[in-house]
Amino acid sequence: MSSSAVAAVNSQGRRLTLRSNGVEREFAALWLRERAPDEATLDKLTGQRLIEAAQLPLDLTITQASVGVDTLQLDFSDGHSTQFTLSELLSDDKPTRQELTDDLQLWDASLDTLPEANFGAALESDAALLAMLDDLRRFGFVRVVGVPCEEDGMQALIDRIGPLRRTNWGGIADVKSVAQAYDLTMTQRGLEPHTDNPYRDPIPGYIWLHCLTNAAEGGDSTLTDGFMAAQRLRQESPEAFECLTQLSPAFRYVDATTHLESEGPLIELDSHGRLARVRYSNRTERMTAYDPDTLERYYAARKRFYQLITSDALTVQLKLSPGEMLIMDNYRLLHGRTAFQLEGGIRHMRQGYVDRDSTASRHQVLRSTIAPQQHATIATPEQGYAL
Ligand code: OGA
Ligand code: ZN
């Protein structure tokens, strides 16, 4: 790669253009200076920045640039010199105009093989755990079989990934019908597709739903890919899509000892315009009393989104058996259940939440240690920054 690389300094030294194998990228001099991978700029041990980037002169320039074998040597007008690894620089993340991140595979009701993992294997083997987390990332859910049929049977696998998120309901909590329900969860009602707890901040990243018994009539699980529904909405009605990305309803949960409130759009995009998260919780949504025109647009858009997320074409339905568990991405998936009648038997699920950052961190670390050749390499600070 590097032998064909060419570097050109332009805009009076304020920019650097790199051309290599048909790829061209332009870098700002200030960006290159603040990211200089050397010991004077970044701490050798942690990779964290030592210089105060905001104090660099805004008119900083590159005074000299030379390309070697996969290296780029730069001198700056503040007297600093550094050397980049060319291939790393050229593969550094850049802004994109994609609608989705590459590693997601959207699905609908035609998904015939559900992603599946084995509890014992994921517990014992890092490769099996990585495969499970790859599927969770790609599809937004995974069915796990072989979970011990004990109240906290999921805990051992959670411990392999990150801390269990504790809430006002405790750690791993019951999902079953009780006489004094504090939430519709604890009834025999069917639950329409929803994301969990949009009234929390942060919203729980992953839902772990473990089946202990499911003998009642009904009580099937339903799953919908919220990103697929959002994509369909974007295609058929860009205005409705935009409306749902721009208006933020509030969500609220109140009981005798708890008052939780937060807000956010039903479809949220990241800074690059890519789908980042969906929220949908009819139970707890409390739309602000905007002016009627705005609300009419919102209600029409929400109705269309609702029709998509409840449509047979987008819904996968399954019945969890004892010892099975679903892990679901609560920023992407809508999940629900059909109503159940206890005459047939008991239905007892247990549910826990795990945060997004710890799950993503475990995934990244496993990727870089087990399968670095298959995945983008993620250098640890020592590997990335040592001189
Ligand atoms: C819930 C929920 C799933 C189930 O209570 O929010 O999604 O299968 N329950 O009972
Ligand atoms: Zn739920």
Side-chain angles (χ1 to χ4, degrees), residues 175 185 191 194 196 209 221 283 335-337 347 349 351:
V175 175
T185 292
L191 297 175
H194 63 278
D196 271 6
L209 183 70
S221 303
R283 276 182 266 176
H335 64 283
R337 70 162 182 240
R347 183 181 194 271
M349 305 278 173
Q351 181 170 283

